[in-house]
């Protein structure tokens, strides 16, 4: 029987400045539940809006209200989102329970590696779709945004220790902004800021035949 994490009726108020609300995903079933393009996009939309109704989410995604509601209920079942009181008696809006997730050590559990692989495949496909949409509108953005966006590839030879050091350094650069600006904390966003979605794909390579 599935045992999703329960979510409270009311969560932290966006803009409260409480920092990141982290969740360690230790159950492969929760990771598989999240590994769906519509659910990942719903999480992004809810976070960027602070809170949003299923009807508004459906309009944002161009899907039916019923489909949006189904995926929101699935996210809620596994403790990723929950409903909160709205401004009136109309449809109750949805809000994120956590603002960031980690998968540490889940691959050591039965089915963990497979769940992470499914999630990463969905996330990678979503990143490629994002890149295609960016190309369609890129010309209309200011030079600074255009110059430093898109995709870049490099191959560099590193030891395991150097590889770990590099990835931790990169994570440290992002951590400053991630910690100070939880995705659903609208008040933490400086004027002129825009949501920037980053997908870092890192793939260590096997030696070629010539390398031995």
């Amino acid at each position: 029987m599935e045992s999703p994490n329960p979510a409270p009726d009311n969560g932290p108020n966006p803009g409260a400045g409480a920092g990141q609300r982290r969740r360690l995903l230790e159950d492969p079933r929760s990771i598989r539940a999240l590994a769906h393009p519509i659910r990942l996009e719903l999480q992004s939309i809810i976070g960027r809006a602070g809170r949003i109704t299923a009807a508004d989410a459906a309009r944002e995604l161009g899907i039916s209200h019923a489909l949006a509601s189904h995926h929101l209920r699935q996210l809620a079942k596994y403790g990723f989102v929950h409903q909160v009181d709205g401004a009136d008696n109309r449809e109750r809006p949805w809000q994120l329970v956590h603002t960031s997730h980690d998968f540490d050590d889940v691959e050591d559990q039965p089915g963990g590696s497979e769940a992470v692989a499914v999630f990463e495949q969905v996330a990678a496909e979503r990143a490629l779709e994002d890149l295609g949409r960016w190309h369609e509108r890129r010309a209309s953005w200011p030079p600074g945004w255009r110059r430093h966006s898109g995709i870049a590839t490099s191959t560099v030879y590193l030891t395991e220790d150097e590889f770990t050091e590099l990835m931790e350094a990169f994570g440290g650069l992002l951590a400053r902004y991630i910690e100070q600006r939880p995705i659903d904390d609208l008040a933490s966003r400086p004027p002129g800021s825009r949501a920037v979605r980053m997908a870092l794909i890192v793939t260590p390579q096997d030696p070629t035949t010539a390398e031995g």
Side-chain angles (χ1 to χ4, degrees), residues 72-86:
L72 285 165
R73 288 194 299 270
Q74 288 299 306
L75 287 171
K77 178 179 180 180
Y78 288 90
F80 293 108
V81 301
H82 63 126
Q83 285 185 296
V84 296
D85 293 333

Side-chain angles (χ1 to χ4, degrees), residues 143-156:
W145 292 102
R146 297 198 308 269
R147 186 179 307 116
H148 300 291
S149 63
I151 188 169
T153 61
S154 298
T155 299
V156 59

Side-chain angles (χ1 to χ4, degrees), residues 44-126:
S44 176
I45 290 172
I46 294 170
R48 292 164 64 183
R51 56 181 63 181
I52 198 170
T53 65
D56 289 336
R59 282 191 289 272
E60 286 281 344
L61 289 177
I63 61 177
S64 69
H65 184 284
L67 185 58
S69 295
H70 165 74
H71 285 294
L72 285 165
R73 288 194 299 270
Q74 288 299 306
L75 287 171
K77 178 179 180 180
Y78 288 90
F80 293 108
V81 301
H82 63 126
Q83 285 185 296
V84 296
D85 293 333
D88 49 39
N89 293 324
R90 295 183 298 176
E91 186 177 11
R92 294 175 66 197
W94 294 86
Q95 183 175 300
L96 297 180
V97 177
H98 303 89
T99 53
S100 61
H101 307 99
D102 293 313
F103 297 162
D104 290 352
D105 300 328
V106 73
E107 292 185 86
D108 296 332
Q109 300 184 31
S113 293
E114 293 81 359
V116 171
V118 170
F119 177 87
E120 289 185 342
Q121 184 65 40
V122 172
E125 291 170 358
R126 183 167 173 251

